[in-house]
Amino acid sequence: MTSIQEDVHYDGGPAKGDLIFNLLLGVTLIGLPFAIGAIVRAVWLRFRITSRRISVTGGWMGKEKTQVVYSQIKEVRTVSRGFGAWGDMVLVLNDGARLEMRSVPSFRETEAFILERMAARSSAPADKAVEGFAT
């Protein structure tokens, strides 16, 4: 059985700055829920972004896993957080579903990586279809 090569762009948890910032806000009563949310994300949320797919592991005790291949993604929406050091990302899929990714480190580079892979995946089948049609 042949193994398919996957180059890993990012494998890890949410941005550490998100945790630090929310812990600082947690000293106030209003910031306490945000601090708890940041702690839960830091403990159980993991991203794995490769040349073939995006995997997000999260949920209660990290038991939920979602995988998306680039051909399923229709649109990428981002919001900058932490003065641009990290950000939130929403992947809108072809069927209308959304995958939210909170506190993605280096999200601008990650967004560029995802958009590049989406363009490569969407153009590859069209090129093959044209080549197959010509022969």
Side-chain angles (χ1 to χ4, degrees):
M1 182 172 187
T2 14
S3 175
I4 297 174
Q5 179 68 25
E6 281 189 83
D7 298 323
V8 177
H9 174 72
Y10 179 75
D11 189 6
K16 290 176 181 28
D18 175 55
L19 177 63
I20 294 166
F21 179 74
N22 284 302
L23 286 176
L24 291 174
L25 285 179
V27 298
T28 67
L29 188 60
I30 294 172
L32 197 57
F34 299 111
I36 293 170
I39 292 168
V40 168
R41 279 193 301 274
V43 172
W44 290 320
L45 181 63
R46 295 291 173 260
F47 305 115
R48 182 171 172 87
I49 301 169
T50 69
S51 58
R52 297 185 46 83
R53 75 191 87 216
I54 299 170
S55 300
V56 179
T57 304
W60 185 248
M61 300 190 63
K63 292 183 180 179
E64 295 179 26
K65 186 168 186 172
T66 304
Q67 290 189 7
V68 175
V69 293
Y70 294 106
S71 62
Q72 294 176 315
I73 302 172
K74 178 170 67 171
E75 182 182 357
V76 179
R77 299 178 188 163
T78 59
V79 175
S80 173
R81 304 274 188 226
F83 303 106
W86 67 87
D88 297 345
M89 193 175 291
V90 176
L91 306 177
V92 181
L93 306 182
N94 293 330
D95 63 358
R98 300 172 197 276
L99 176 62
E100 292 185 15
M101 298 167 55
R102 298 201 183 264
S103 303
V104 178
S106 306
F107 82 102
R108 293 183 203 280
E109 292 84 11
T110 302
E111 178 187 20
F113 181 83
I114 291 171
L115 292 173
E116 181 182 304
R117 294 297 175 262
M118 286 172 55
R121 294 282 181 209
S122 64
S123 67
D127 294 342
K128 290 179 182 176
V130 171
E131 289 174 5
F133 183 73
T135 54

